[in-house]
Structures are given as structure tokens and as C-alpha cells.
Amino acid sequence: MSFEPRSIINGKLLREFMGKNVSVMVKIEGDYTGQIIKAKTTDQVPVRISLSEPIGGNPTDWVEVIGVVSGADMLRAKEVIMFEESNQEFDSESHNMLVNIMNNTRDFYATG
Amino acid sequence: MARIATLTTGCMESILSGVDIDKPVVQILGSKKIPGPEGTDRLRLLVSDGKHLNSFAMLATQLNDLHAKGELDENTIVRLDRYCTSMVNKSEKGDRRVLVILELTVLTSGLQVGKKIGTPVPYTGEPQKPASNVSKPAPSAATPSSNTSNGSAFGSRPTAASPYGASNGSSFGRNAAPSTQGGQQLTHPIASLSPYQNRWVIKARVTAKSGMRSWSNAKGEGKLFSMDLMDESGEIRATAFRDAADKFYDLIEVDKVYYISKCQLKSANKQFSTLNNDYEMTFTNETTVQPCDDDESCIPKMQFNFVPIAQIANIEPKAAVDVIGVCKETGEIQRFTGRTNNKEFIKREITLVDSSNASVALTLWGDDAVNFDGHVQPVILVKGARVSEFGGGKTINLGVGSSMKINPDIPEGHKLRGWFDNGGGDEIQSNVSTRSAAGGGSFNTEWLTFHEAQLKNLGADDKPDYFQVKAVIHMVKATNATYKACPQPDCNKKVIDEENGMYRCEKCNQSYTNFKYRLLINMSVADWTSNRWVTCFNEIGEQLLGKSAQEVGRDIEEQGEAALQTMNFKSYVFKLRAKMEMFGDVGRNKMTVMNISPVNYKEYNRHLIKDLQELTGIGKV
């Protein structure tokens, strides 16, 4: 499997990345056994994620969804990354800020 | 388009030659801020009546906020409801009549007017030499004459009723005056007082009165008391000395209204006065004070500019603030003797809270401290409390020039009472008086990098500076990391090895067969900008090594430097104290570790994000 470049975004930015590869941190809300799961992004936008196959196992609250944006509130997931159970809280506010800064700063990775 | 108000053409000439024009309408063409002490900026306006310009128009400070709100922009047309003029003598330039605007109404906004009306020229009818005390004939508003300095071309004279003409250029009784309509006395607004005029009467409320104080120095001794006076235009401090102090002390009562005249005015000494006035006055032998028994409702009660307690943390020491809060806790009376003059001081610290969910320590002194009863948790109002800083925490003081009211009958007071009685004071999040020097606790120090600390020249003054930095230990000096100290629990003095198995403590004046190790570790810590050598004492060292000083001492004896290697390359949040210390004649900026804590990444991240937001402007609220 080759690496596909993707952008780390949040709910608000979904519409700007229509059809593109993205990575979104979401908090799963409610049922996670079906083909489509509901979740909320770090900026509190509700999104629906369609899965090619149901998530195996018991996902943690927060998961990283890698996939393609298929609508203003839709994601077609290629991969759902679950995190180890830990008592460390996910700092969603800071993550959201990171997304904002990364997507609003020109030459974010420029050095020197 | 809205109708543009018409200017009172030609009024400037009349006003500046001393004629009383009722509510003239003028256009503002510009403004300039004249910085005054302690933020009491004054605004100098360029005004035009369509014919003449006058750049010597001062706005009374209480109208400054109008300007701040942008209501006095260029081209704005205003009606001067109340104003006065006074003669300012600048020796090299001759006299200048200055127009002081006390009250005004905006008639047409600058945006609507959009242009300068007419082609006004600077008014040059002045200066008039002080010697010419002849009433200068003033033109009526209609006189279309050119400006001649001798005024001979002017037509009609002002009405005979005008009391104008005093040689000192006093503007007694001009438009500004009648603030007591129908009263027996014409009075002047406090804001119009200046050393350049002395014939005035003010009608003012005493908002505060000091106790009788005595002084004694090389020049002699005496006593004095001072009071703060206020009317609807502003406030002023007045002081009475010696005889005058005796004469007026009993007469003056706080909250009463008086007519006061014939005082001497001088520039205010902001060190002693916190009032919003550039001048203060001194009672002389000719001063008259007369209680005002009639209608005093036009003189307002005290004015306050309350600062939320949470914001006191950001206020510079020595500044004066008005604070209102509920007394949540009351400390005990403390008595102590002054270091220099053997005077006994009594103080009491109380804790105030308000709806900003912060608390602050208020120090009361002398009688205020003794008589204070805090167990009913009253609402406390302090006007002009002095902010002071100690060990990184801010406290407020009921000092000279401050006044305190318990359970004041004002809306803010009642609101606070309601807030507190409904559990408002239960969740106090921050105490602005927390001392960082106390160590331990979660004191708030500024996040800085070593580079920033250097740029800020921290520790260069007499007082220590505190800051916090996320840094990693990268070099520890093993030599002299421990010292042998007196074994007594409370004595940590270094002992002298008598080379005979005995260790002598100079402080306890005793020799012991044993000693205890104490840590005094010098190490270099670095953040991403730079590194610094810092010193840490026993407790911090034990915390860093996870061992007692005793164990560390033994380890060093056995393993040498290796015993301290475990400290290296670990990150902590260091709270540091920077202070200039003298070693012989040489000053060295020394940094001491006050406290270490494991990095709280969430909190550190928040700090970094805040910096990023400031740099980029992204996501800033």
C-alpha cells in the first residue's frame, strides 16, 4: 500500500476538501456497529462516516478517520485508527487549534 | 441628507475677548492628546466658528470618553453648553485665553458634515498684555470686522452685567458658572479651577477626609488634614495646615456639601493623591467654607471606577484602584514595630471576593484594622486602594488617600450582596495575592524562554523576578553538590570539619560527631532558546533525584559524579527566581529554582497556542 498524502482537518473544513484525502479526529457518538457511524469532530460538527466494513472491536471515544470527503458532513473512511485505552484525556481543543493553524498558515512546514 | 447645524459665526472672537455667548455652536477640526500624569490625558481641540480657528480649546477630562467613542471626530458640529475661559500666562508668548469646554452636545456628526465649513483663519486678536487691565471692548457676534489687536474697530461692548475685567484675567462668573440655578451663590465647576484664577466659589461634596496628622522635620512641625472634594465636573484634593487645619477640621464632614472659596491651587502631587485632577488646593487664612444646606442633589455622590478583582493582577504596583468586594475572610490583628522609626503599626488583612471569581487581600491599618468587624461578611468598597506587589502576588492597601465604605448603598453593592448570598463566593478560582515566593503551591508566574528572560533583563533590579520555563537539565556539577550541615533539625548551617571526627556548627556553637548532608546543586538547564546555570536547594534536589539528601551524599562518596547522572535529560517546568546577588564587589545575576513540576503538556500546550494565536492572529477571540 502506497502512502497517499492527506490533510489534517476538522469539521468546518470538510467542504473545502471535497473529494480529497483527509484525516479527521472524531468522537464516536452512539452506535458503532453499523456501516455508517455518527461522530463529532473537534470543532463540534456532527459528521457521518461510512465504513467499508464495520469497526471491529470496541473503539475508544476518539478515533482518527482517514478517508475521502464525500459531503459537507460525510466521510468515506479507508481506515479508522483507534487508540490505546489510557487515562490521558484527548485535548480536543488544542487539536482543533492545531488544525486551524496548520490550514491557515502559509508554508506551515517552512523552516529557517 | 440630514440637516447640518449652523455655526455661531464669529462667536470665537467674542468668547476669546471675554464675552459671554450663550451656547455657541462650533465645528471641531482636529484634536490632540496632551499626556498628563497617570493617564489623565487632556484633549486639546481645534475648533472653528466658520470664521476663526481656536486651537487653545481644552476638553474637560470628564468628556474624554466622548472623544474615545469617536463622537468628536473631525468636522463634528457641537454646541458648547458650558464652558469657561481662563488666561494662561506663558511669559515668552504673552497671555493666551484658553477655552475650557465643560459640557457639550453633538449636533451633527463629523461624517454627516464631511467638510470644513467656511475658511476660518487663526484668531490673532490676542495676546493682550496683562498690564492692560482695561476691559477690552468685545465684538458682538455679528461684527464682521477684521482682527485688530487693540480692539478699536470693535463696536458694541458686552453687557454691563459681565463681571469681567479683573486684571488677572479671571473668568469669574462666565458661562461656566451658574451650576446652582436659583441658588444664592454662583459657583464654579471644579474642573475649571486652575492656578491662573483665584476668584471662584465651588460647591462640592466631601468624599473623604483624612485624620489629623502631624509632621515634624528639620523645617519644623505642624499638623494637617486633607479632604477630597467632588462636584459634577470633577474632583480635587484639598489640604489644610496648622491653624487652618484646626479651624476647619471639625466643620468638615464626609458626604456633606460645602461652598468653598479662596484656596491656593498648585499642581497635584500624584504620589499622595489619586484623584483625577492635575491640581490640588491648600486652605489659606482667607479660605471660607460654608456648609450648603439647600438643594444639594445636583452634586453627585462619589464616583467609582470599579476594577474587577481578577484584573488587579494586571495592574502596576502603586496604582490606585476602586474595588468593591465581599469580605470573605478576616485575618487577625497584627502589631509590629517599624524598622526605622520604632513606630508601632497595626494591620489586619481581609480577603475580598467579587463576581470575577477572584480574591484579593486588602490590608487595613490603624483604627480601620482595629475596628473592623468581618464576621457578617460585609460588602466592602474601597476608593483609591493602593496596589502593591509582594513576591509576585498583588495586594491592595487602604492607604493614605483611600477611603473605605462598609455595605455601601449603591447598586453595585447590592448586586454583589445578592451574588454572594446565592453562593457566588464558593468557587473562587484565583487569588491575585498568592505569593510566588512561598514556593510549593500553584503560583502563577509568567511563561518565558531563557532568551526572553535575558531580553527582559530579569533580576537586574533590587527585587527578584520570577518566571517559569519548560526546560531540560543537561549538565550537573557534581563538585560541591552537597555540603555537610549541622545535624540539628532546624539548623542547616554548614559545619566545619575539625579533622578529628568532630564537626563544629558556628551557629549552634557546638561540635557534633555527626552531620547531615544537604544538597546545593548547580546545574545547567536549557530550553529551545538558550541555557542558564541555576542553583537548587535541598528539597528540589531530593525531588529531582528521587532520593533523600543523605542517600545522595553517600552515593556521591561512593560513585562520585555518576550519582547525579540520573538527573540529566529530563524535562520539567521550572519556576525560577532571578536576582542580582553581590559576591564581594561583583554583582551576579543568580537564578534559583523555586519549584519544579513535571510538564503538564495540556497546560504548556495552551501557553504555546496562546503565543501562536498572538503571532498569527488565527482563532483569536
Side-chain angles (χ1 to χ4, degrees), chain A residues 14 18 36 46-50 68-76:
Chain A
L14 281 170
M18 211 65 88
I36 288 186
V47 288
R48 285 176 298 153
I49 297 151
S50 62
V68 176
V69 183
S70 53
D73 66 339
M74 279 293 279
L75 266 171
R76 203 165 56 242

Side-chain angles (χ1 to χ4, degrees), chain B residues 116-131:
Chain B
K116 181 162 80 173
I117 296 173
T119 47
V121 293
Y123 181 68
T124 51
E126 307 277 343
Q128 179 188 18
K129 291 285 167 278

Side-chain angles (χ1 to χ4, degrees), chain B residues 519 538-547 572 595-598:
Chain B
L519 302 176
N538 209 47
E539 290 71 21
I540 306 283
E542 288 182 336
Q543 213 180 327
L544 284 170
L545 286 157
K547 284 178 188 166
Y572 299 92
N595 170 286
I596 54 157
S597 50

Side-chain angles (χ1 to χ4, degrees), chain B residues 117-176:
Chain B
I117 296 173
T119 47
V121 293
Y123 181 68
T124 51
E126 307 277 343
Q128 179 188 18
K129 291 285 167 278
S132 62
N133 64 352
V134 191
S135 299
K136 183 171 149 190
S140 70
T143 315
S145 72
S146 61
N147 306 307
T148 45
S149 57
N150 57 14
S152 61
F154 297 139
S156 61
R157 287 187 43 128
T159 51
S162 169
Y164 157 80
S167 59
N168 61 7
S170 136
S171 63
F172 182 83
R174 212 162 303 296
N175 218 12

Side-chain angles (χ1 to χ4, degrees), chain A residues 89 91 94 97 101 104-105, chain B residues 602 605 609 612-613 618-619:
Chain A
E89 197 192 328
D91 190 350
S94 298
M97 195 57 217
I101 291 173
N104 287 297
T105 312
Chain B
K602 197 167 174 180
N605 204 17
I609 286 175
L612 271 177
Q613 285 177 328
I618 294 170

Side-chain angles (χ1 to χ4, degrees), chain B residues 85-86 168 170-171 188 192-200 265:
Chain B
T85 59
S86 69
N168 61 7
S170 136
S171 63
H188 284 66
S192 74
L193 299 186
S194 76
Y196 313 111
Q197 54 179 63
N198 54 18
R199 283 171 50 180
W200 44 258
L265 272 107

